[in-house]
Amino acid sequence: MVDTHNLMANINQPLGMDSDPPFHETYKTLFANSIIKSSPSNDDPGDTVEERELPLIDLSRLGLGGELEREGCKKEIARAAHEWGFFQVINHGISRDILETMREEQVKVFKQPFHNKFRCFSAGSYRWGTPTATSLRQLSWSEAFHIPMTDISTPGGFDTTLSSPMEQFATKVASLAQELAEILAEKLGHKSTFFQENCLPSTCYLRLNRYPPCPIALEMFGLMPHTDSDFLTILHQDQVGGLRLVKDGKWIAVKPNPEALIINIGDLFQAWSNLFYKSVQHCVVTNPSKERFSAAYFLCPSYETVIESCSKPSVYRKFSFREYRQQVQEDVQKYGYKVGLPRFLV
């Protein structure tokens, strides 16, 4: 059960620094109602779980090694996408200097007063919490900036000191995402230009995340369990930790690696690959004393793009990305969570 005394004490605390979103004030009804609700089951991602390292792949083997080395690297990428749905890469072409500078500037942006972030950035780019939440377990204790790739060079509201490293990071990860998508398609026997033709700067985006310290961390998610509604995601995170995912039916904690970028398969790639590559549930758990920062790139197609399995018989019926997004939004509004690909089974 929720600790009533501690919960009420934390609710009544000051909201903290002006830079933090007003979680307690905005969601006070959820906090009050949670007092009489039970805690989640033992298989909850917020429980104490085993920490494991993701499969580690050295991308320098794609360019420096011989043909056998290149093919071996490609097979490892496909195997990790099939068995884990997640893997990490090193020697990815993005310098430590770019990553560290971007994080430093990212911190400064998030430390602005909340009202500045809420009012000064373009509509829809700054998001926090979960407007559709009907319980604490559906509330994400985080804030984020969603930035279309076409706006990276002139992101409204951002200082130019962030724009430069962000643009360098975005350019590199966009190229890396296309390269990885082509490799994953190739290992299924398809030398396809599908991703280059349909996943364009106008359809992909970057998301800068901050997960503030949470006084009731055991009861809250930084980002509730979900799968990504894209082809693949590239993530750079700090060393605080908190990322968790499902492996072999159990939740595990991902051990941070300062040299690596994390890659995960999205729903669209699972459908396109006819269930060969796995889009797995993952989440971010909160920390009672430390804030966490990350930056994620999402490889997405246009809304008109039709997703169809690359082999037969198909597990999923074909659908447009627009149809998929609309179904996800309807389910979230109705149930408080995403249903996803099971809606599109043949």
Side-chain angles (χ1 to χ4, degrees):
M1 296 289 292
V2 175
D3 186 328
T4 304
H5 180 270
N6 286 339
L7 178 58
M8 292 307 299
N10 284 313
I11 289 176
N12 292 326
Q13 285 178 350
L15 295 181
M17 295 179 61
D18 289 341
S19 63
D20 285 345
F23 292 108
H24 289 111
E25 179 182 337
T26 303
Y27 298 102
K28 57 186 177 184
T29 301
L30 300 188
F31 282 98
N33 291 341
S34 72
I35 295 172
I36 60 173
K37 293 184 178 180
S38 299
S39 60
S41 66
N42 291 332
D43 193 31
D44 188 83
D47 294 340
T48 300
V49 298
E50 178 187 6
E51 184 179 60
R52 296 178 61 179
E53 292 188 8
L54 296 175
L56 181 65
I57 298 171
D58 183 352
L59 295 184
S60 67
R61 296 162 57 199
L62 292 173
L64 300 179
E67 185 62 27
L68 286 177
E69 194 73 16
R70 283 195 296 273
E71 284 305 307
C73 184
K74 291 179 181 180
K75 287 180 180 178
E76 286 182 18
I77 291 170
R79 184 184 308 117
H82 171 63
E83 295 178 356
W84 282 74
F86 268 79
F87 55 96
Q88 54 187 342
V89 296
I90 56 173
N91 292 319
H92 39 66
I94 305 174
S95 71
R96 174 71 75 89
D97 183 59
I98 290 176
L99 296 175
E100 289 181 350
T101 301
M102 188 174 76
R103 185 189 183 283
E104 291 170 0
E105 298 303 327
Q106 184 178 342
V107 170
K108 293 177 185 177
V109 169
F110 277 111
K111 289 302 182 183
Q112 292 185 58
F114 171 73
H115 69 270
N116 281 4
K117 292 181 286 190
F118 190 75
R119 296 174 184 173
C120 297
F121 292 88
S122 57
S125 67
Y126 177 66
R127 307 174 188 182
W128 63 279
T130 309
T132 58
T134 58
S135 70
L136 285 187
R137 299 305 284 180
Q138 294 176 359
L139 173 60
S140 292
W141 193 272
S142 57
E143 56 180 334
F145 289 102
H146 290 240
I147 312 165
M149 288 294 286
T150 49
D151 294 345
I152 291 292
S153 58
T154 55
F158 288 105
D159 188 272
T160 54
T161 55
L162 173 60
S163 298
S164 179
M166 185 166 60
E167 187 172 7
Q168 294 177 68
F169 174 80
T171 301
K172 292 281 190 180
V173 292
S175 176
L176 176 59
Q178 287 287 349
E179 182 179 15
L180 291 173
E182 290 178 14
I183 289 171
L184 291 168
E186 177 187 326
K187 300 320 290 181
L188 289 180
H190 294 268
K191 295 211 171 196
S192 175
T193 58
F194 175 86
F195 303 100
Q196 288 185 346
E197 294 170 353
N198 292 284
C199 300
L200 307 172
S202 59
T203 65
C204 301
Y205 67 96
L206 197 67
R207 188 173 73 198
L208 307 180
N209 304 300
R210 175 181 176 255
Y211 302 90
C214 180
I216 51 169
L218 293 179
E219 305 299 334
M220 304 290 297
F221 288 115
L223 193 61
M224 63 182 290
H226 67 286
T227 57
D228 288 351
S229 300
D230 63 352
F231 278 108
L232 59 81
T233 305
I234 299 180
L235 175 75
H236 175 252
Q237 63 171 350
D238 60 22
Q239 299 307 295
V240 172
L243 177 62
R244 296 188 174 183
L245 60 91
V246 175
K247 174 64 172 140
D248 300 327
K250 295 181 180 180
W251 285 97
I252 64 168
V254 175
K255 185 176 182 179
N257 181 335
E259 303 297 329
L261 296 177
I262 291 176
I263 318 295
N264 69 276
I265 299 299
D267 297 343
L268 303 187
F269 227 136
Q270 176 169 310
W272 189 88
S273 69
N274 210 18
L275 202 55
F276 186 77
Y277 298 133
K278 302 301 190 296
S279 177
V280 304
Q281 273 213 323
H282 54 285
C283 70
V284 176
V285 295
T286 51
N287 188 295
S289 59
K290 297 178 180 179
E291 59 184 350
R292 176 181 184 267
F293 293 89
S294 67
Y297 170 83
F298 296 86
L299 183 68
C300 299
S302 68
Y303 277 170
E304 290 69 35
T305 301
V306 174
I307 312 302
E308 187 172 7
S309 297
C310 67
S311 61
K312 307 295 180 186
S314 298
V315 176
Y316 304 101
R317 66 174 177 84
K318 65 180 180 180
F319 54 87
S320 70
F321 186 43
R322 182 186 303 279
E323 182 184 4
Y324 190 73
R325 291 288 298 169
Q326 288 176 341
Q327 184 63 61
V328 167
Q329 291 168 4
E330 288 175 13
D331 286 336
V332 169
Q333 288 288 342
K334 186 174 182 179
Y335 303 111
Y337 59 87
K338 167 186 168 181
V339 177
L341 284 176
R343 291 286 194 203
F344 297 85
L345 292 168
V346 172

